[in-house]
Structure formats: C-alpha cells, structure tokens
Amino acid sequence: ELLPKKNSNSIVTSSSDTSPPAYELLGLAVTPELAAIALVYFVQGILGFSKLAKDYFVKDELHLDPAAAGLIFTLSSFPWLVKPLWGFVSDTFPLFGYRRKSYLFLCGILGTVGGLALANENVVNTVPAAAVAFTLGSLSTAFADVVIDGVVVKRARESFVSFEKDDGNDLSPRKDGKKNTFLQI
C-alpha cells in the first residue's frame, strides 16, 4: 500500500515498512520514490551546463552556422512541446505492470544512449545523427519530468489528507504540534 505511515521516530515510511529507515535526510526517510524525485530534478538542473558544450559541438565539430544550429536545437526540443502526451502514455499504457517505474527506467536508458552517442565521435559525426541524439536526450528528460511530476502530484494529494481543518483554516497546524510539510507525508 502506498499510503504514508509514521514510525516511532516520526520519520515517514511506507505503511508496509515498520522498521526504521536505512537513511534519512532532513528528518525524512530516503525512499526510492523520494530519491527518484530528487534525481530527476537534479538532472534537469544540471543539464543547463551541457548547453554550452552543445553550442560548441554544433559550431566546431559539425560546422553549422547559427541559423542551422538553432533549427537543430528547436527540432530536438519537440518532446517538451508534447508533454501532455507523455502523461497520457504513461497513465494509459503500463510497461511491465508499472505506470511510472518502468517509464523512468526507459527514460534513463534513452538519455544514456543519447549521451553516449554524443560522446562517441564515430557515432555522431553528421547533422542528422546529432539531431537524433539531442532529441533522445530531450525526450528522456521531458518524459521523466512528466512521470516524476505525476509522482509529486500523487504525494501532494496524499499529504492533503494530513491537513486538518480548524475554524475554517484549511492549512491549520496539526494537533500533535508537528509541522505539515509536503515531504512529510
């Protein structure tokens, strides 16, 4: 069951786990779900550093002018434009019995293939190959973003149950004196 449960140490764990968590961060149990959320958002943030390398790659290695480079980057960003489609796909068509885990794994594979292709000059040495590799990376990041946003929404909906109404204040403190936070669900 995915509903949250607190153990004796006031650390959030899953309801099927009654033992203390192996790791905790800021008073929260580091679950695979929380680690996946942090990892996906970290990867999205760190990808900004690759933008400069991509710019130099298309300019110096592929010898593209700024207009052609802009076209390649625009086309490779297409997976971000159809993000609702990725949410529909992951919610409608489970892979291997899972709607999120399997898609996150698949996104990791796609991103790795795209990145390794870009790292090998024998694989990506033409403009179409670069466009495909850039698009694979973009697809993996956009799809993973949608899937992990679904996990975050699910956690937020579950945590909303922990808020109590008091005198019309929907976000009033809990009676046990502890703080209501998004991550402590």
Side-chain angles (χ1 to χ4, degrees):
E1 186 173 292
L2 295 174
L3 295 176
K5 178 182 174 184
K6 291 193 176 220
N7 66 10
S8 61
N9 294 331
S10 296
I11 297 171
V12 179
T13 60
S14 66
S15 62
S16 62
D17 182 15
T18 58
S19 62
Y23 302 101
E24 67 179 73
L25 179 66
L26 303 173
L28 300 172
V30 179
T31 62
E33 186 177 70
L34 187 61
I37 291 169
L39 182 63
V40 167
Y41 289 140
F42 173 77
V43 167
Q44 285 182 20
I46 205 76
L47 283 178
F49 291 121
S50 71
K51 174 76 172 101
L52 185 62
K54 287 180 179 180
D55 288 343
Y56 278 107
F57 176 75
V58 297
K59 178 180 145 292
D60 294 341
E61 300 298 323
L62 298 178
H63 307 291
L64 296 179
D65 60 31
L71 180 62
I72 295 297
F73 292 137
T74 300
L75 292 175
S76 69
S77 68
F78 180 76
W80 286 95
L81 299 176
V82 292
K83 279 177 58 175
L85 176 65
W86 310 139
F88 175 76
V89 168
S90 67
D91 288 344
T92 307
F93 306 108
L95 286 180
F96 309 112
Y98 296 100
R99 288 185 300 148
R100 295 195 172 101
K101 290 179 187 178
S102 55
Y103 282 103
L104 282 176
F105 181 76
L106 182 62
C107 290
I109 297 294
L110 283 175
T112 301
V113 167
L116 290 175
L118 283 168
N120 188 339
E121 64 186 33
N122 295 323
V123 175
V124 177
N125 53 10
T126 64
V127 174
V132 168
F134 290 153
T135 304
L136 279 177
S138 182
L139 173 63
S140 71
T141 309
F143 207 127
D145 178 67
V146 169
V147 170
I148 214 66
D149 285 349
V151 171
V152 170
V153 167
K154 181 177 175 237
R155 288 178 66 106
R157 285 182 180 163
E158 289 172 353
S159 71
F160 187 74
V161 174
S162 70
F163 290 105
E164 295 179 358
K165 290 188 175 187
D166 185 25
D167 297 327
N169 182 0
D170 291 342
L171 301 178
S172 63
R174 295 178 358 187
K175 292 181 181 175
D176 60 4
K178 295 186 173 126
K179 293 180 181 178
N180 284 319
T181 63
F182 167 72
L183 295 174
Q184 284 187 320
I185 54 176

